[in-house]
Amino acid sequence: MSEEIYYWQALNRAMDTEMAADDSIITLGEDVGLYGGTYRVTEGLMAKYGEWRVRDTPISENSFTGLGVGAAMLGLRPVVEIMTINFALFAIDAIINMAAKIPFMSGGQFPMPLTIRMPGGVARQLGAQHSQRLEHTLMNVPGLRMVVPATPQDAYGQLRQAIHSDDPIIFLEHELLYFSKGVVDETAVAPPIHQAMLRRTGRDMTCIAYSQMVLLALEAAEQLASEGIEMTVIDLRSLSPIDWETCVQSVQQTHHCLIVEEDCRFAGAGAELAATLQERCFYFLDKPIQRVAGLDIPTPFNGKLEAASIPRTKDIIEAARRLVSSAGVQS
Amino acid sequence: MSEEIYYWQALNRAMDTEMAADDSIITLGEDVGLYGGTYRVTEGLMAKYGEWRVRDTPISENSFTGLGVGAAMLGLRPVVEIMTINFALFAIDAIINMAAKIPFMSGGQFPMPLTIRMPGGVARQLGAQHSQRLEHTLMNVPGLRMVVPATPQDAYGQLRQAIHSDDPIIFLEHELLYFSKGVVDETAVAPPIHQAMLRRTGRDMTCIAYSQMVLLALEAAEQLASEGIEMTVIDLRSLSPIDWETCVQSVQQTHHCLIVEEDCRFAGAGAELAATLQERCFYFLDKPIQRVAGLDIPTPFNGKLEAASIPRTKDIIEAARRLVSSAGVQS
Amino acid sequence: MDKWHMSRMLRDMLRARAFEEATAQGYAQGKIAGFLHLYPGEEAVAVGVLHAAEPGDYVVSTYREHVHALVRGIPAQEIMAELHGKKTGISKGMGGSMHLFDASRRFLGGYAIVGETYPIALGAAYAVAYRRLPEAVICFFGDGAVNQGTFHESLNMAALWKLPILFVCENNHYQIGTEIHRHSAITEVYKRACGYGIPAEKVDGMDVLSVHAAAQKALERVRSGDGPQFLELDAYRANDPIAAAIHEAESGYPNPAAMAAAGPDCISLFSAHCCREKHLDETDIERMRQEVQTEIDAAVRFAEESAEPDMETAWSILHANRRYETLMESPE
Amino acid sequence: MDKWHMSRMLRDMLRARAFEEATAQGYAQGKIAGFLHLYPGEEAVAVGVLHAAEPGDYVVSTYREHVHALVRGIPAQEIMAELHGKKTGISKGMGGSMHLFDASRRFLGGYAIVGETYPIALGAAYAVAYRRLPEAVICFFGDGAVNQGTFHESLNMAALWKLPILFVCENNHYQIGTEIHRHSAITEVYKRACGYGIPAEKVDGMDVLSVHAAAQKALERVRSGDGPQFLELDAYRANDPIAAAIHEAESGYPNPAAMAAAGPDCISLFSAHCCREKHLDETDIERMRQEVQTEIDAAVRFAEESAEPDMETAWSILHANRRYETLMESPE
Ligand SMILES: Cc1ncc(C[n+]2csc(CCOP(=O)(O)OP(=O)(O)O)c2C)c(N)n1
Ligand SMILES: Cc1ncc(C[n+]2csc(CCOP(=O)(O)OP(=O)(O)O)c2C)c(N)n1
Ligand SMILES: [Mg+2]
Ligand SMILES: [Mg+2]
């Protein structure tokens, strides 16, 4: 049952499994059909399910995302693919003011079984306009939920769960993850969709990360372990809601917390993590919570500058060393 | 020279003064011309400066905001009015991906002397779609700056400064402030545009607020003073960049910090404040930094629920009392 | 059209007018708050179009939707209670004037952000077309709303996939204070449909019978798979003293007195027609007026006497859809 | 058109092709990274339109803009250096392939988000019209881009205020992998302009002379205050072995072999024309080819040998506009 496959393949299988089981599931977006999806996620689905269930759209992000909202009101379970999160800036009204608010404004009359899939983050030299991270924006929207799978297994499990949910869910992928590999057991019972996972436990400090940054955090943890620093790595898996219990428990044990995010630091996703955790773990913390985050600069095109504008494994390692070193502690 | 006027009048005078001095300043938006602006800010300007400088637009937020961007590239200094921040969701691509990034992506060739004015926040029973707060979203955009005047004097001074700036600036007003009154001295030298101001000083705790919430914080401070709790109130005046020095200095003196924001708490503007201040003031804090913020719920239409969904003066007072009380301190 | 239908239509027009008059009054008394967008003068549009609709059809509307909701069949008291923010309102007091929804009557909502009705209608029609049902989606919008980008995007997709949508433009010539020739390069709105190959027609929106006939024809085409259709209904704010006073309340709109030149009010027009054709006489109409006033008065009482929702209700509505889901804790 | 002009146009077409071939090579060698959108096959469009432009005109383009930039006069080496992310690039290595800008040549940028070119052009044209200058703004976009809402919004405003814009649709029949009849309800793109009353014309985009003539006529109208004009240029990706190989690299696009049916390549067409008319002969053309190749080779060397920018440069660019402003500390 378990097999090593790509992240995109895991998503593709989740789509296929769900679509085979329920004909109210449709998917739409630019090039999801004939061409099979920019990152191959919808490969083969149009041939199997026809063009009404797998719909290639014009470049009209606001309206085709809104189409998903309207179709969900009639009981379909649309999976809208926005080619990349950068284009979601055009669809932000449909997401924030329609999908997230209709269930509430209608007094609960209209559930919103809508999944919006899109990759976010900095890929490789796509320039400032194509390097958007938008998680902080979508976290701040009550009524919306957001998951951020880092592994093929989670991609598979969480996509199936998202499709089953009657709430609108942002399913945030990452361009650099599509071609990462991992074992996927399709028969495994998936953990609850918003539960965080301890990917590694270590007594000295807690590192909280999500999506692509989890891989870097784990790499850093290896290296740190060889230096004698034992770092717990929490993969959030979900940014809205956040599984605070898992985070709080760990930080209360390790007394040190490092947050790693690709989002720009200023008002990024990590800000909420730090703000709430300092509140809930204040008396357990030996040092202030630290953030390793993207620089507050539009992403430079030049490859070296681009790489330096978001966290690298070495940035995590250095921050971790500083955090657990005895230097710098006052009073 | 000093005169008590409405907030909207202060904005109107700032516009008039600047437009009279520099014919590269234009303003545009829905009903800014003939009708004089939804909140009267552009009253009288069309008659004085003509329709090319004061332009009524169709309901096309994305493109008329983008128009401002293009015109700024040719050296005009457009002041775009978006009728309310709720409609800025349509213009978010023009703001985030165009205005904020063009100066950088062009290697500095194109300055962006663009001001985008709009009121945000919860007014009175306008329903969930018309109660957007978007500050966190715009804070996270490098290349963009954002000011949040709370008084007529600041409205006057900061609008003039924003128009003079060659960076794109979000000028965030508040629907409930337009008809607040205050003394405006047009000849006074304005403090630097992003400088925070101590509106009141007190030894016991620091309250940081912005826009409409400053008025509530000051009201709370009065009441608290009568109970013997002396609260410093910092009016941020700017959300991007944030004047950290002013905040840090105060918190290091009072050892207690309360942040008040109308934004939804989860991933709101206050998260960044708490995250950075815990980092910079950790060893000075007696208690965790607290946030008083909007509830994480779409704004209910019902008036009482609406009022309860955002901070009220009494919420600030209660949070302040809890913060400075000796109870609850562990270890 | 027979007498029975005519009198039903006239009754709905009178109900609509009485409802909005009561609304304006409640607003003046401070019992209704928020933005209030009223309909007097345009009743022939809602009544003409919605009397041509089937129960299986879907309706999508804007913030100016009280009358669409009423004519669609939502009880006046549930709309009025919603306007008062009460728990008995159709949206439990969470939506308000600009956000009326009714799942059972296929009323897909009032939307306060100009331009949102198109994608909602598009999605509903997509679902209908996918299921091959003989249902239509009616999408209302104003003349100012056609300049929003979603208009263009949605009309293109609707035409491309031949979706069952009737696009209905209520052209009252104003976008708040901006007259149509100052917001649109082309003031004959129906011509906008040419860019998508959508059949379009301009109809006198003050004449309920013309509206009804045009809507019926267009809806038949929509239901029989001919793809989207487009109607521009030329309408005016009421040339009627009470309606005029109502509109005065709504800031920014042109002085209704100036609108007088536009011609007689749609209700007087239709009443006169019914009398001329001897379907009804003045007494019948007066009786109708009294009946609908009784209904609306009761609705206002109901709204005023209803309880307000509490915060727990609000939270439970927000989380209603999570009922069967495990979000974080593993099931034991 | 005289011999001199013809040969300048042919030379620019050859430069363009050579430039993109070199770009594709650099990409294959891993020296250029990111998304790369190439132009071979469509040279007649850029050359025809931009040779009709004046130095005072403004140009707004998309992510497929290398050739627009080159023909507009930005030195090949500065474009190539930008594609390599070097400090000597036209945008100092901060923009890259999809974001070429040149203030001095009034090149208002390449935009990577489909639909952004319209509002930029709108704003530039607004500034020109306000200042009553006899300048035009040329706005390029693809056939897929016409379905973005900004198209509609911007065309309406451009027509409403009679702004000096030449809208140029490069119709290559594809939006990545989606053919035009699958993304647009109306496949004759120029007909989209009818909804705004903008004069529009469809021209053979493979014939540089027709393009040039049409653009010249349209630009004259634009500059003389007739308001916006619209050109649809029917073009195809190159039916040319090297160009074909280049397009293979760009994922998602149709197999160029399938495009062969579209007819001969625009460069062969124009070369043949020049020879037939005896403006040039094969030897002239071969010499030209060698000259432009020398230029492009030098550009590649320049790019490869240039230094990379550092982070300090990046920060200083970000803050360049704050030079004269006091942000926080009061001046002493
Ligand atoms: C996106 C957006 N922009 C602006 C507004 C503010 N607004 C409310 S109604 C209105 C005018 C709409 O005019 P029209 O579509 O003609 O409808 P009418 O009100 O005349 O029925 C405007 C601009 C809004 N609600 N949404
Ligand atoms: C808003 C937006 N959506 C999607 C994309 C991804 N994308 C890049 S090019 C392209 C196709 C554009 O087609 P067309 O306008 O015909 O131009 P062409 O590439 O054929 O020259 C798409 C969908 C984008 N860049 N921006
Ligand atoms: Mg109107
Ligand atoms: Mg194309």
Side-chain angles (χ1 to χ4, degrees):
Chain A
M1 281 293 112
S2 298
E3 201 187 337
E4 174 136 306
I5 58 176
Y6 288 116
Y7 188 96
W8 71 263
Q9 284 175 308
L11 293 169
N12 182 261
R13 290 201 194 166
M15 287 295 295
D16 194 8
T17 306
E18 292 300 327
M19 289 185 81
D22 180 355
D23 75 358
S24 65
I25 299 163
I26 62 168
T27 186
L28 60 145
E30 290 155 26
D31 278 319
V32 298
L34 264 192
Y35 179 56
T38 307
Y39 298 101
R40 305 182 62 177
V41 172
T42 49
E43 200 171 84
L45 299 180
M46 187 188 231
K48 201 157 164 187
Y49 300 105
E51 64 174 2
W52 279 94
R53 293 190 62 194
V54 183
R55 178 59 77 181
D56 282 322
T57 66
I59 308 176
S60 307
E61 281 84 2
N62 205 350
S63 293
F64 74 67
T65 306
L67 187 163
V69 174
M73 292 176 82
L74 262 70
L76 296 192
R77 309 187 79 81
V79 180
V80 171
E81 172 178 304
I82 298 182
M83 195 184 270
T84 76
I85 202 166
N86 309 287
F87 318 141
L89 294 177
F90 280 116
I92 215 80
D93 181 75
I95 297 172
I96 293 183
N97 243 342
M98 292 163 59
K101 295 199 174 63
I102 287 171
F104 182 79
M105 294 193 308
S106 66
Q109 291 181 80
F110 289 95
M112 190 55 59
L114 172 69
T115 303
I116 300 175
R117 289 186 40 243
M118 50 193 174
V122 177
R124 294 220 176 80
Q125 286 193 257
L126 304 187
Q129 290 196 318
H130 270 69
S131 302
Q132 220 67 241
R133 288 133 289 171
L134 219 56
E135 39 268 38
H136 61 289
T137 293
L138 300 171
M139 284 167 72
N140 186 257
V141 183
L144 215 55
R145 288 155 53 187
M146 176 162 37
V147 295
V148 278
T151 66
Q153 180 75 51
D154 280 344
Y156 179 80
Q158 287 181 295
L159 182 51
R160 293 191 57 186
Q161 289 167 320
I163 292 173
H164 281 254
S165 172
D166 281 340
D167 262 357
I169 297 195
I170 302 292
F171 195 90
L172 191 60
E173 302 162 7
H174 195 294
E175 284 167 68
L176 298 184
L177 285 177
Y178 289 118
F179 293 89
S180 66
K181 267 197 161 177
V183 172
V184 172
D185 176 356
E186 296 184 34
T187 62
V189 177
I193 181 167
H194 297 291
Q195 194 179 67
M197 301 248 271
L198 291 167
R199 294 287 180 205
R200 174 183 184 120
T201 41
R203 64 173 184 265
D204 297 324
M205 60 175 288
T206 301
C207 173
I208 304 176
Y210 59 91
S211 190
Q212 161 78 357
M213 289 296 128
V214 173
L215 309 194
L216 275 61
L218 288 170
E219 243 176 60
E222 286 290 323
Q223 168 77 32
L224 288 161
S226 75
E227 302 173 13
I229 299 172
E230 291 297 338
M231 178 165 92
T232 292
V233 176
I234 295 180
D235 175 358
L236 282 178
R237 295 177 73 249
S238 165
L239 283 176
S240 179
I242 282 175
D243 179 358
W244 292 120
E245 293 317 320
T246 300
C247 298
V248 167
Q249 254 180 39
S250 173
V251 174
Q252 291 188 347
Q253 278 163 18
T254 63
H255 311 291
H256 295 89
C257 178
L258 182 70
I259 293 159
V260 182
E261 65 177 325
E262 195 176 310
D263 209 348
C264 289
R265 176 186 168 98
F266 189 73
E272 175 58 39
L273 286 161
T276 291
L277 290 176
Q278 67 85 27
E279 200 175 321
R280 296 189 54 176
C281 306
F282 187 75
Y283 302 106
F284 295 87
L285 284 169
D286 285 349
K287 285 214 188 161
I289 297 169
Q290 298 292 324
R291 288 178 281 168
V292 175
L295 299 181
D296 294 311
I297 196 169
T299 310
F301 172 72
N302 174 276
K304 288 194 187 129
L305 299 189
E306 179 191 62
S309 77
I310 51 171
R312 292 156 296 195
T313 304
K314 77 175 168 75
D315 300 320
I316 304 175
I317 293 171
E318 284 162 18
R321 283 193 200 126
R322 276 194 307 273
L323 186 62
V324 296
S325 81
S326 49
V329 184
Q330 289 182 26
S331 85
Chain B
M1 283 289 111
S2 296
E3 201 187 337
E4 175 136 307
I5 58 175
Y6 289 117
Y7 187 96
W8 72 262
Q9 284 175 308
L11 293 170
N12 183 261
R13 291 204 194 165
M15 288 294 296
D16 194 9
T17 307
E18 291 301 326
M19 289 184 80
D22 181 354
D23 74 359
S24 64
I25 299 163
I26 62 168
T27 186
L28 60 146
E30 290 154 26
D31 278 318
V32 298
L34 266 192
Y35 179 56
T38 307
Y39 299 101
R40 306 181 62 178
V41 172
T42 50
E43 201 171 84
L45 300 180
M46 188 188 231
K48 201 158 167 187
Y49 300 106
E51 63 174 1
W52 280 94
R53 293 190 62 194
V54 183
R55 178 59 77 180
D56 282 322
T57 66
I59 308 176
S60 308
E61 282 83 2
N62 204 350
S63 293
F64 75 67
T65 306
L67 187 164
V69 175
M73 291 176 83
L74 262 69
L76 295 192
R77 310 188 77 81
V79 180
V80 171
E81 172 179 303
I82 299 182
M83 195 184 271
T84 76
I85 202 167
N86 309 287
F87 318 141
L89 294 177
F90 280 117
I92 215 79
D93 182 76
I95 297 172
I96 294 184
N97 243 343
M98 291 163 60
K101 294 198 174 65
I102 287 170
F104 182 80
M105 294 195 308
S106 66
Q109 292 180 79
F110 289 95
M112 189 56 59
L114 173 69
T115 303
I116 300 175
R117 288 185 40 242
M118 49 192 176
V122 177
R124 293 219 176 82
Q125 287 195 256
L126 304 187
Q129 289 196 319
H130 270 70
S131 302
Q132 221 66 242
R133 289 133 288 172
L134 218 57
E135 40 269 36
H136 62 290
T137 293
L138 300 172
M139 285 167 72
N140 186 258
V141 183
L144 216 55
R145 288 154 54 186
M146 176 162 38
V147 296
V148 279
T151 67
Q153 180 74 55
D154 279 345
Y156 180 80
Q158 286 182 297
L159 182 51
R160 292 191 58 186
Q161 289 167 320
I163 292 172
H164 281 257
S165 172
D166 281 340
D167 262 356
I169 296 194
I170 303 291
F171 194 90
L172 192 61
E173 301 160 8
H174 195 292
E175 283 167 70
L176 298 184
L177 285 175
Y178 288 117
F179 293 89
S180 66
K181 267 197 163 178
V183 173
V184 172
D185 177 356
E186 296 185 33
T187 62
V189 177
I193 180 167
H194 297 290
Q195 195 178 67
M197 302 247 272
L198 291 167
R199 295 283 180 205
R200 173 183 185 118
T201 40
R203 61 169 188 269
D204 297 324
M205 59 176 288
T206 302
C207 174
I208 305 175
Y210 59 91
S211 191
Q212 160 78 359
M213 289 295 128
V214 173
L215 310 194
L216 275 61
L218 288 170
E219 244 176 57
E222 285 292 323
Q223 168 77 32
L224 288 162
S226 75
E227 302 173 13
I229 299 172
E230 291 298 338
M231 180 164 91
T232 292
V233 176
I234 295 180
D235 175 358
L236 282 178
R237 295 176 74 248
S238 165
L239 283 175
S240 179
I242 283 175
D243 179 358
W244 291 119
E245 293 316 320
T246 300
C247 298
V248 167
Q249 256 180 39
S250 173
V251 174
Q252 291 188 349
Q253 279 162 18
T254 63
H255 311 291
H256 295 89
C257 179
L258 182 69
I259 294 160
V260 183
E261 64 178 324
E262 194 177 312
D263 208 350
C264 289
R265 176 187 168 98
F266 189 73
E272 175 58 39
L273 287 161
T276 291
L277 290 176
Q278 66 86 26
E279 199 175 322
R280 295 189 56 176
C281 307
F282 187 75
Y283 302 105
F284 294 86
L285 285 168
D286 285 350
K287 284 215 190 159
I289 298 168
Q290 298 292 325
R291 288 178 280 169
V292 176
L295 298 182
D296 294 310
I297 196 168
T299 310
F301 171 73
N302 174 276
K304 288 194 188 131
L305 299 190
E306 180 191 61
S309 77
I310 52 171
R312 292 156 296 196
T313 305
K314 77 175 167 77
D315 300 320
I316 303 175
I317 293 171
E318 285 163 17
R321 284 194 199 122
R322 274 195 308 273
L323 186 63
V324 296
S325 81
S326 50
V329 184
Q330 290 181 24
S331 87
Chain C
M1 185 178 290
D2 62 22
K3 181 185 147 153
W4 184 77
H5 275 113
M6 295 243 196
S7 78
R8 273 190 61 223
M9 292 212 294
L10 182 59
R11 174 185 289 269
D12 262 355
M13 291 171 82
L14 293 170
R15 286 174 78 223
R17 183 68 54 95
F19 186 92
E20 293 292 59
E21 285 171 4
T23 302
Q25 214 174 3
Y27 191 77
Q29 295 167 345
K31 292 174 180 164
I32 296 175
F35 287 149
L36 195 68
H37 299 274
L38 300 169
Y39 204 67
E42 303 183 26
E43 291 89 347
V45 173
V47 172
V49 170
L50 293 175
H51 275 253
E54 299 288 337
D57 295 341
Y58 294 88
V59 179
V60 188
S61 186
T62 67
Y63 47 87
R64 195 182 296 288
E65 92 285 37
H66 307 165
V67 169
H68 298 139
L70 187 72
V71 177
R72 183 59 184 170
I74 309 181
Q77 62 180 29
E78 294 183 33
I79 303 174
M80 194 57 89
E82 187 61 33
L83 268 49
H84 283 71
K86 298 299 179 70
K87 195 171 182 169
T88 52
I90 186 75
S91 304
K92 298 207 174 81
M94 300 301 149
S97 160
M98 306 197 287
H99 306 296
L100 303 170
F101 287 82
D102 187 346
S104 66
R105 292 178 187 87
R106 302 195 163 193
F107 194 80
L108 298 180
Y111 293 86
I113 307 294
V114 171
E116 288 185 338
T117 59
Y118 316 112
I120 294 289
L122 191 70
Y126 194 92
V128 168
Y130 163 49
R131 299 294 193 190
R132 296 168 187 269
L133 298 169
E135 297 162 353
V137 179
I138 298 169
C139 175
F140 287 103
F141 51 92
D143 54 294
V146 304
N147 297 318
Q148 194 62 282
T150 48
F151 172 86
H152 173 70
E153 298 176 350
S154 296
L155 265 72
N156 178 54
M157 285 186 265
L160 182 62
W161 303 324
K162 279 182 168 287
L163 300 185
I165 309 184
L166 174 60
F167 290 103
V168 180
C169 178
E170 302 187 301
N171 180 1
N172 58 17
H173 302 254
Y174 276 88
Q175 161 205 317
I176 306 189
T178 303
E179 211 177 334
I180 188 163
H181 69 272
R182 298 181 69 247
H183 71 59
S184 284
I186 281 200
T187 52
E188 287 177 289
V189 180
Y190 77 97
K191 291 193 177 162
R192 290 287 180 95
C194 74
Y196 321 94
I198 297 178
E201 198 185 350
K202 179 172 184 150
V203 175
D204 179 359
M206 301 306 280
D207 174 5
V208 69
L209 293 178
S210 307
V211 173
H212 185 266
Q216 201 154 42
K217 199 176 62 181
L219 282 169
E220 265 160 36
R221 288 209 194 111
V222 166
R223 282 195 211 93
S224 62
D226 284 5
Q229 309 285 318
F230 191 107
L231 285 183
E232 172 188 353
L233 302 176
D234 207 15
Y236 302 88
R237 296 311 177 71
N239 170 19
D240 163 299
I242 300 174
I246 292 177
H247 289 304
E248 294 275 26
E250 201 174 340
S251 64
Y253 282 94
N255 183 346
M259 289 303 239
D265 177 63
C266 61
I267 298 187
S268 344
L269 265 176
F270 190 48
S271 304
H273 173 89
C274 290
C275 294
R276 207 165 46 245
E277 301 280 314
K278 307 246 188 292
H279 295 310
L280 296 166
D281 61 24
E282 284 295 346
T283 338
D284 297 330
I285 296 178
E286 191 44 41
R287 198 179 44 243
M288 247 189 223
R289 256 187 231 284
Q290 285 168 12
E291 284 166 10
V292 305
Q293 195 58 53
T294 307
E295 178 195 356
I296 301 300
D297 290 346
V300 170
R301 262 197 317 281
F302 174 82
E304 291 183 358
E305 290 165 6
S306 288
E308 308 214 29
D310 53 24
M311 199 49 106
E312 255 158 70
T313 315
W315 287 114
S316 75
I317 289 168
L318 182 64
H319 296 133
N321 301 326
R322 302 187 181 179
R323 246 181 311 241
Y324 308 108
E325 259 184 289
T326 311
L327 298 190
M328 280 182 208
E329 283 84 44
S330 298
E332 31 260 273
Chain D
M1 185 178 291
D2 63 22
K3 183 185 147 155
W4 184 77
H5 275 113
M6 295 247 196
S7 77
R8 271 189 63 223
M9 291 215 291
L10 181 59
R11 174 185 289 269
D12 262 354
M13 291 172 81
L14 294 170
R15 284 175 78 222
R17 183 68 54 95
F19 186 92
E20 293 292 59
E21 285 170 5
T23 302
Q25 213 174 5
Y27 191 76
Q29 295 166 345
K31 291 173 182 166
I32 297 174
F35 286 150
L36 195 68
H37 299 274
L38 300 169
Y39 204 69
E42 303 183 25
E43 291 89 347
V45 173
V47 172
V49 170
L50 294 175
H51 275 253
E54 300 288 337
D57 295 340
Y58 294 88
V59 180
V60 187
S61 187
T62 66
Y63 47 86
R64 195 182 296 289
E65 91 284 35
H66 308 165
V67 167
H68 298 138
L70 187 72
V71 176
R72 183 59 185 170
I74 309 182
Q77 62 180 27
E78 293 182 34
I79 304 173
M80 193 57 89
E82 187 61 33
L83 269 49
H84 283 72
K86 297 299 179 69
K87 195 170 181 169
T88 53
I90 186 75
S91 304
K92 299 209 173 80
M94 301 300 148
S97 159
M98 307 198 286
H99 306 296
L100 303 170
F101 287 82
D102 187 346
S104 65
R105 292 179 188 87
R106 304 195 162 192
F107 194 80
L108 298 179
Y111 294 85
I113 307 294
V114 171
E116 289 184 338
T117 59
Y118 314 113
I120 294 288
L122 191 70
Y126 194 92
V128 168
Y130 163 48
R131 298 295 194 192
R132 296 169 187 268
L133 298 169
E135 297 161 354
V137 178
I138 298 168
C139 176
F140 286 103
F141 51 93
D143 52 295
V146 303
N147 296 318
Q148 194 62 281
T150 48
F151 172 86
H152 173 71
E153 299 175 349
S154 296
L155 265 71
N156 179 53
M157 286 186 265
L160 183 63
W161 303 323
K162 279 184 168 286
L163 300 185
I165 309 183
L166 174 59
F167 291 103
V168 180
C169 178
E170 303 187 300
N171 180 0
N172 60 17
H173 302 255
Y174 276 88
Q175 160 204 320
I176 306 189
T178 302
E179 212 176 333
I180 188 163
H181 68 273
R182 296 181 68 248
H183 71 60
S184 284
I186 282 201
T187 53
E188 287 177 290
V189 179
Y190 77 98
K191 291 193 179 163
R192 289 288 181 95
C194 73
Y196 320 95
I198 297 179
E201 196 185 352
K202 180 172 183 150
V203 175
D204 179 0
M206 302 305 280
D207 174 5
V208 70
L209 294 176
S210 308
V211 174
H212 185 266
Q216 201 153 40
K217 200 176 62 183
L219 281 168
E220 266 161 35
R221 289 210 193 111
V222 167
R223 282 195 213 94
S224 61
D226 285 4
Q229 308 286 318
F230 191 107
L231 285 183
E232 173 189 352
L233 303 177
D234 206 17
Y236 304 88
R237 297 309 178 73
N239 170 18
D240 163 300
I242 299 172
I246 292 177
H247 288 303
E248 293 275 27
E250 201 175 338
S251 65
Y253 282 94
N255 184 343
M259 290 302 241
D265 177 63
C266 61
I267 298 186
S268 343
L269 265 175
F270 190 49
S271 306
H273 173 89
C274 290
C275 293
R276 208 165 45 244
E277 301 280 313
K278 307 247 188 296
H279 295 310
L280 295 167
D281 62 23
E282 284 295 343
T283 338
D284 297 330
I285 297 179
E286 190 44 41
R287 196 178 45 242
M288 246 189 224
R289 256 187 231 285
Q290 283 168 13
E291 285 166 8
V292 305
Q293 195 60 51
T294 307
E295 178 196 355
I296 300 302
D297 290 346
V300 170
R301 261 197 317 281
F302 174 82
E304 291 183 357
E305 289 165 5
S306 288
E308 309 215 27
D310 53 24
M311 199 49 105
E312 255 158 71
T313 315
W315 286 116
S316 74
I317 289 168
L318 181 64
H319 295 133
N321 301 325
R322 301 188 183 179
R323 246 181 311 243
Y324 308 108
E325 258 185 290
T326 312
L327 298 190
M328 280 181 209
E329 282 83 45
S330 299
E332 32 262 273

